Amino acid sequence: MSKLMIIGCGGVASVAIHKVCQNDEVFDELMIASRTVSKCDALKEKLQGQTKTKITTAQIDADDVEALTKLIKEYKPDAVLNVALPYQDLTIMDACLAAGVDYIDTANYEPEDTEDPEWRKIYEKRCKELGFSAYFDYSWQWAYEDKFKAAGLTALLGTGFDPGVTSVFAAYAKKHYFDTIDTIDILDCNGGDHGYPFATNFNPEINLREVSAPGSYMENGKWIEIPAMSIKREYDFEGVGKKDMYLLHHEEIEALGRNMPEVKRIRFFMTFGQSYLTHMNCLENVGMLSTTPINYNGQEIVPIQFLKALLPDPASLGPRTKGKTNIGCIFTGKKDGKERSIYIYNVCDHQECYKEVGSQAISYTTGVPAMIGAMLVATGQWKKPGVFTTDEFDPDPYMEALNKWGLPWKVEENPVLVD
Ligand code: NDP
């Protein structure tokens, strides 16, 4: 039996909390701690009659390491699952170390204030040395390796779908299908339609920062950066049909590039409709995606945060979104001296997710793997001292759990490749 603390109570957290409560054979106690405690209380109210999991709630500002350490020490969970924002990754890791508890998250660290001169100095050095300019990267969290090792604690980074499941697919392909993997193409297709001209499927600030950044991919261990949205391909996805997809920078490329150095090329593609791209370009051109505060009538406003307040709350898209997602990885390589290619993927239906947990498929495909990662760490199946991504453990129990907890996957031999 395990006791879990979940930090954050937004779109992804809501699914993770539903799944933890379904999995009450493993999780007998759960604390939901977030900035706005009324959201935690509302979920507790909804779920407590339907589960054996004992739910408690707490108000917490996860930027406050001291207060968070105190809360963790009082509650004494087996693990902390961070589904707040990437801005809180380091403070929550610090609190877990101080309280002696394992740490799990779904997205790598990025700073809230990208104008902070201290951060910027390190960022600009990294851009020059490594050759990619995204604001987020693993270096900040990998730097905790020695501390987690010395404390005998596990930090599991990025257990959402992408990153998360996609890296488990890579470990699974390596274990069961290939002697050597030559290329990995990660494909993220959302065929869902919410009926709005423009909305984001998860936190708008994080989503728009990611999508408007230059694209990049790894070839022979080196990053190649390209202007945003400048590599476009069409792909025919099962359950969705033909979609345009664009090459993006994505964090699992960095981890897979480090942990599977034999792979010659790793790319990530995401589908976007024309309406999304037109709106995003326009908003960027007028400065609405900026993270730099401006002064408006005596009040300081961060443009992208103001935009977030105008856009539909991703959590409200659930009842309106129809269609399917298809996310997976195409691997090429060799087995027993012969060329081989496979596509490992999951198809998820937005309306089915809504019926089950009241959320659309983007939150669902992230929240389910978040629960699975937390389960494997809390039950000791994925436990070793240090800081790890999901490709660094035995993929088999994770793959089994995906089938059991709502994200069944398939393996297609000889898929159409992306040129
Ligand atoms: P939301 O904005 O919906 O939710 C964020 C939650 O965190 C809110 O409840 C918010 O509180 C809370 N929060 C924010 N700041 C603090 C703080 N300082 N202290 C305590 N709580 C805080 O985001 P999502 O659910 O869409 O995303 C959650 C995470 O999942 C993000 O890190 C995102 O990058 C990641 N993600 C990962 C994916 C993957 O596949 N790996 C895919 C999609 C998302 P409040 O209610 O007060 O706003």
Side-chain angles (χ1 to χ4, degrees), residues 28 105 419:
D28 56 339
D105 71 26
D419 65 11

Side-chain angles (χ1 to χ4, degrees), residues 111-418:
E112 187 156 13
D113 176 11
T114 53
E115 297 304 314
D116 173 19
E118 292 269 300
W119 176 84
R120 221 150 175 114
K121 219 167 53 196
I122 299 168
Y123 163 76
E124 276 161 14
K125 186 164 170 271
R126 189 215 73 199
C127 289
K128 259 201 217 118
E129 278 172 10
L130 294 185
F132 70 94
S133 58
Y135 288 145
F136 50 91
D137 75 276
Y138 276 115
S139 63
W140 298 89
Q141 291 177 280
W142 282 340
Y144 280 69
E145 167 72 9
D146 289 346
K147 289 186 196 165
F148 271 81
K149 229 182 207 160
L153 295 173
T154 302
L156 176 63
L157 308 184
T159 178
F161 205 106
D162 44 339
V165 175
T166 47
S167 299
V168 176
F169 285 170
Y172 190 77
K174 190 172 167 175
K175 182 172 176 184
H176 296 287
Y177 284 85
F178 291 93
D179 296 325
T180 50
I181 298 179
D182 292 330
T183 67
I184 305 177
D185 277 335
I186 303 157
L187 311 188
D188 179 333
C189 164
N190 180 9
D193 182 7
H194 44 57
Y196 288 117
F198 186 71
T200 65
N201 291 299
F202 69 97
N203 184 287
E205 201 178 325
I206 306 295
N207 183 226
L208 289 166
R209 272 194 190 190
E210 171 181 313
V211 170
S212 57
S216 62
Y217 60 100
M218 206 177 251
E219 203 158 57
N220 298 318
K222 300 240 167 346
W223 286 100
I224 297 172
E225 187 157 272
I226 54 159
M229 304 292 171
S230 59
I231 295 187
K232 173 182 168 185
R233 300 281 185 270
E234 188 189 65
Y235 201 79
D236 196 354
F237 291 92
E238 183 202 307
V240 176
K242 283 189 183 158
K243 283 270 172 193
D244 288 337
M245 57 185 193
Y246 298 82
L247 188 145
L248 295 188
H249 174 82
H250 222 250
E251 64 202 61
E252 61 266 59
I253 300 176
E254 195 187 356
L256 289 170
R258 183 182 82 152
N259 299 331
M260 299 187 183
E262 68 282 8
V263 181
K264 295 190 182 84
R265 192 190 64 204
I266 311 173
R267 302 183 296 184
F268 180 96
F269 291 90
M270 190 178 272
T271 63
F272 295 99
Q274 197 48 52
S275 173
Y276 183 99
L277 293 178
T278 307
H279 281 79
M280 192 186 74
N281 286 340
C282 173
L283 290 166
E284 185 167 30
N285 290 341
V286 298
M288 280 302 286
L289 302 189
S290 168
T291 53
T292 307
I294 57 149
N295 196 292
Y296 179 73
N297 278 351
Q299 193 178 344
E300 204 169 77
I301 292 175
V302 177
I304 197 165
Q305 287 176 0
F306 180 68
L307 175 65
K308 178 178 181 232
L310 294 175
L311 290 174
D313 178 356
S316 72
L317 301 178
R320 312 170 50 103
T321 309
K322 297 193 172 65
K324 291 183 174 146
T325 60
N326 178 325
I327 318 176
C329 306
I330 299 177
F331 301 95
T332 68
K334 285 171 207 72
K335 179 77 177 169
D336 301 327
K338 286 197 200 107
E339 300 282 336
R340 183 174 215 182
S341 59
I342 59 168
Y343 182 41
I344 312 184
Y345 64 103
N346 161 264
V347 175
C348 192
D349 186 295
H350 284 283
Q351 289 289 292
E352 293 295 319
C353 298
Y354 186 68
K355 257 190 256 157
E356 186 196 324
V357 297
S359 300
Q360 33 82 355
I362 304 303
S363 300
Y364 191 91
T365 53
T366 312
V368 171
M371 181 282 285
I372 293 172
M375 173 180 73
L376 294 178
V377 172
T379 57
Q381 291 178 81
W382 272 22
K383 184 146 175 67
K384 50 188 180 183
V387 176
F388 304 99
T389 44
T390 56
D391 48 297
E392 295 181 88
F393 291 91
D394 179 7
D396 292 356
Y398 199 112
M399 294 293 275
E400 239 172 70
L402 288 169
N403 283 332
K404 178 168 176 190
W405 293 106
L407 294 175
W409 45 272
K410 294 186 206 168
V411 179
E412 183 189 341
E413 295 269 0
N414 302 314
V416 174
L417 302 181
V418 181

